[in-house]
Amino acid sequence: MLISKASRFGVWSCAVTHSARLFSRSSNMAKSKFEYVRNFETDDTCLRNCYIVVRLDGRNFHKFAEQHKFAKPNDDRALGLMTRSACSVMEELEDIIIAYGQSDEFSFVFKRTSNWFKRRASKLMTHVASQFSSSYVFYWKEFFEDQPLLYPPGFDGRVILYPSNRNLRDYLSWRQADCHINNLYNTVFWTLVQGRGLTTTEAEDRLKGTLAAHKNEILFSEFGINYNNESSVHRKGTTLIWEKVYETVTKRMKLPNEEEKDVPVTRSRRRVEAYHCDIIGEQFWEEHPDILEDDNC
């Protein structure tokens, strides 16, 4: 009987020893002679106390739009899909305080104090790009019911740092000014092509060297179009921010000395809201003072 116990203990001891050797061997392999290759990785940690902006742009989107029959000069389905995909990114990465998009681009601003992915630029950019791209494909059917997705789109990204509130606001103002310039040109260009029957080359020649006032005059005098009455989503782009919303839901509750009954309960939560307004002037920032952080942080 003692021999039997000893045998069992001996087998158990042997098994433990064997497992320990395997574990030790695995640990040694993790620190192999090949580990030196990690020294080739570069440090891409973003400077602290700076806003981190990740801007995505569609790759070869002119071709993509042609093959998927996007309406000219603006396709509201495509713009809606871009916005829905951007919302998905913000819902995934809650440190994004504001995002701005127009045409086939979107900029995402991380708050100064964000420590997502230890502020590594490559991690932030690739996560934003992958989340946006996968969402674009995932939600395609909601916006393009009758148009099949022929191939997945591509988006490239870059990371820019802005140390002050003024720098960040100037960046966003630049992107909205770019939206206005491009949309005014495209509106006149495609109105000439579709409304006058000009070829694309003839339309380009007609607009060569024209200023904004001249383009507005062409629209108004020749087509009766007041550019200022065009959709704000086309003229101003889309700004996404977090807002607190209050919702009332019905909850089944049992009150003291009463039977169970449905009671209305109001609760608050954060939700991404879209605006199509001017962000160059002061009004937007005065109405949403919690977006920007103190410059003295």
Side-chain angles (χ1 to χ4, degrees), residues 37-289:
V37 296
R38 295 181 61 184
N39 297 327
F40 286 85
E41 295 182 15
T42 57
D43 182 13
D44 62 348
T45 304
C46 294
L47 191 65
R48 290 196 173 277
N49 296 334
C50 290
Y51 292 105
I52 303 172
V53 176
V54 178
R55 185 167 88 236
L56 300 183
D57 292 279
R59 183 176 177 275
N60 291 333
F61 238 67
H62 178 76
K63 177 182 176 182
F64 183 86
E66 289 286 344
Q67 295 187 340
H68 289 88
K69 301 179 175 61
F70 282 16
K72 302 287 195 314
N74 294 292
D75 192 309
D76 288 328
R77 300 170 301 172
L79 294 174
L81 178 55
M82 289 286 292
T83 298
R84 181 65 189 88
S85 302
C87 287
S88 174
V89 174
M90 289 187 68
E91 291 161 357
E92 177 71 16
L93 299 171
E94 295 184 1
D95 271 7
I96 296 173
I97 53 175
I98 186 172
Y100 176 79
Q102 50 122 342
S103 186
D104 63 340
E105 73 166 55
F106 241 101
S107 297
F108 300 90
V109 182
F110 287 81
K111 64 183 182 181
R112 278 173 160 170
T113 53
S114 176
N115 201 35
W116 277 85
F117 305 113
K118 298 182 179 179
R119 296 179 70 86
R120 291 188 59 185
S122 56
K123 290 277 191 179
L124 291 166
M125 183 177 65
T126 53
H127 195 101
V128 169
S130 62
Q131 182 71 28
F132 189 93
S133 300
S134 59
S135 297
Y136 195 96
V137 173
F138 184 80
Y139 293 112
W140 174 271
K141 197 67 176 175
E142 288 187 19
F143 295 87
F144 291 86
E145 297 178 359
D146 302 321
Q147 171 63 53
L149 183 62
L150 303 178
Y151 59 90
F155 295 90
D156 62 63
R158 71 201 70 187
V159 174
I160 320 107
L161 303 182
Y162 293 104
S164 71
N165 290 340
R166 174 48 56 189
N167 293 151
L168 178 64
R169 283 189 54 181
D170 285 347
Y171 168 79
L172 295 171
S173 297
W174 171 49
R175 299 321 304 145
Q176 187 166 70
D178 186 72
C179 172
H180 163 69
I181 293 169
N182 290 337
N183 188 67
L184 177 57
Y185 180 91
N186 289 334
T187 299
V188 183
F189 179 88
W190 287 107
T191 301
L192 289 171
V193 171
Q194 297 167 353
R196 280 282 184 271
L198 272 63
T199 65
T200 54
T201 302
E202 291 171 337
E204 285 177 2
D205 291 339
R206 175 75 189 279
L207 296 177
K208 192 174 295 182
T210 58
L211 301 176
H214 191 193
K215 294 182 178 71
N216 275 290
E217 181 61 25
I218 292 174
L219 286 174
F220 189 75
S221 62
E222 298 185 25
F223 302 97
I225 298 174
N226 185 339
Y227 180 73
N228 291 326
N229 294 333
E230 294 294 293
S231 172
S232 59
V233 66
H234 302 156
R235 294 183 294 110
K236 302 294 186 182
T238 300
T239 302
L240 301 177
I241 62 173
W242 288 101
E243 284 199 338
K244 183 179 288 187
V245 294
Y246 295 92
E247 299 175 331
T248 301
V249 297
T250 302
K251 195 171 183 180
R252 194 76 174 172
M253 298 179 64
K254 179 175 174 51
L255 300 178
N257 303 320
E258 294 186 25
E259 296 182 354
E260 281 192 359
K261 65 178 182 178
D262 294 332
V263 178
V265 177
T266 301
R267 61 188 181 187
S268 65
R269 67 182 181 89
R270 292 207 315 161
R271 185 172 68 191
V272 179
E273 294 288 343
Y275 287 84
H276 312 294
C277 62
D278 176 73
I279 59 173
I280 298 176
E282 297 297 326
Q283 182 177 347
F284 174 82
W285 301 100
E286 290 173 355
E287 292 176 351
H288 304 93

